[in-house]
Amino acid sequence: ARFAVLARAAADGQAPQEEGEEEALVTDALEPCDDAPAAEAARNDPGARPSGGDAAAKLAKWADDEAKVDRWMTSRGGGLESPLLAAERGILRMRDFFPRDVAEHALAILQTLPEEAWELSEQGGEEDAAKHRFWSADLTDIDALAPLRTIFWRLLKTFRGEPTLPIFSIGRDGASDHI
C-alpha cells in the first residue's frame, strides 16, 4: 500500500470548498538524516522497522526538538504557501519532504493502524466527482501522529495573508484502488 498526506488549506478556519483554495499532496518523504543507518536497515528488513509505539515516541522526540524542526523547516523554504501558490490550484507533490527517519516513523505508525481506522472513499464518477476508490483517515483521529499535525500547522499558518485552519488527512491505496 502507498500512503500520502493530503492537506487542505482554508482561510478563516473554513473548510476548503471554494474556488481558489489549495490542496497539497505531501508524499514520498525521504531524506538523509541523523538516523539514516537505522532507517536504511528498516527499509531493507521489515522486521527491523520500529513498532508503532516506538515510532510514535521517536516522532514526538523529533517534533519536540525545536532547533531541529526549525532547521528542517528552513531547509524546506519555511512553509508551504509558496509551493502551493506555484502549483496554481493543482496538486503539489513534494518528494523527500520529511527527514528520512521521521518519514519511516510515520510510516510505521500508519502500517500499524487497525483496519477500522480507515474510511473507504469510493465514487463511480457521477455527481461531478472523479471516479476513485481509496482509503483515508483524518490525521486528528490518530494520536500517535499528533506531532505531525503541529508541524503541518506551522508550515501553513497563513495563506494569502489570511490565517488558516489546515485540515490534514492520510490516504492509503491498495492494488485495486484508483483515482
Side-chain angles (χ1 to χ4, degrees), residues 9 79-81 84 151-159 164 166:
L80 290 174
E81 184 169 10
L84 284 170
I151 302 299
F152 279 131
W153 183 79
R154 286 182 61 188
L155 289 166
L156 196 60
K157 287 184 179 182
T158 62
F159 187 73
T164 65

Side-chain angles (χ1 to χ4, degrees), residues 27-168:
T27 185
D28 295 355
L30 298 175
E31 161 196 330
C33 61
D34 298 341
D35 200 15
E40 185 66 29
R43 266 190 310 289
N44 294 329
D45 177 9
R49 286 195 176 125
S51 68
D54 185 40
K58 289 180 178 181
L59 188 63
K61 182 180 177 185
W62 175 78
D64 287 342
D65 186 334
E66 196 149 336
K68 251 186 193 179
V69 172
D70 286 345
R71 280 192 311 274
W72 169 78
M73 286 181 64
T74 299
S75 77
R76 296 296 179 260
L80 290 174
E81 184 169 10
S82 294
L84 284 170
L85 290 171
E88 298 178 0
R89 296 182 50 214
I91 291 180
L92 174 64
R93 185 171 179 157
M94 302 177 77
R95 290 190 172 273
D96 302 332
F97 189 71
F98 280 110
R100 184 180 302 257
D101 57 338
V102 171
E104 291 288 339
H105 298 322
L107 179 61
I109 293 165
L110 294 174
Q111 290 176 326
T112 62
L113 289 178
E115 273 309 303
E116 56 270 10
W118 297 97
E119 182 178 328
L120 177 63
S121 178
E122 191 166 22
Q123 180 62 258
E126 55 276 348
E127 300 177 22
D128 293 331
K131 185 176 179 181
H132 68 272
R133 183 182 193 282
F134 61 89
W135 300 84
S136 66
D138 189 326
L139 200 60
T140 60
D141 295 335
I142 304 166
D143 292 339
L145 294 177
L148 287 186
R149 288 194 311 262
T150 302
I151 302 299
F152 279 131
W153 183 79
R154 286 182 61 188
L155 289 166
L156 196 60
K157 287 184 179 182
T158 62
F159 187 73
R160 295 186 175 145
E162 298 291 327
T164 65
L165 178 61
I167 301 167
F168 298 99

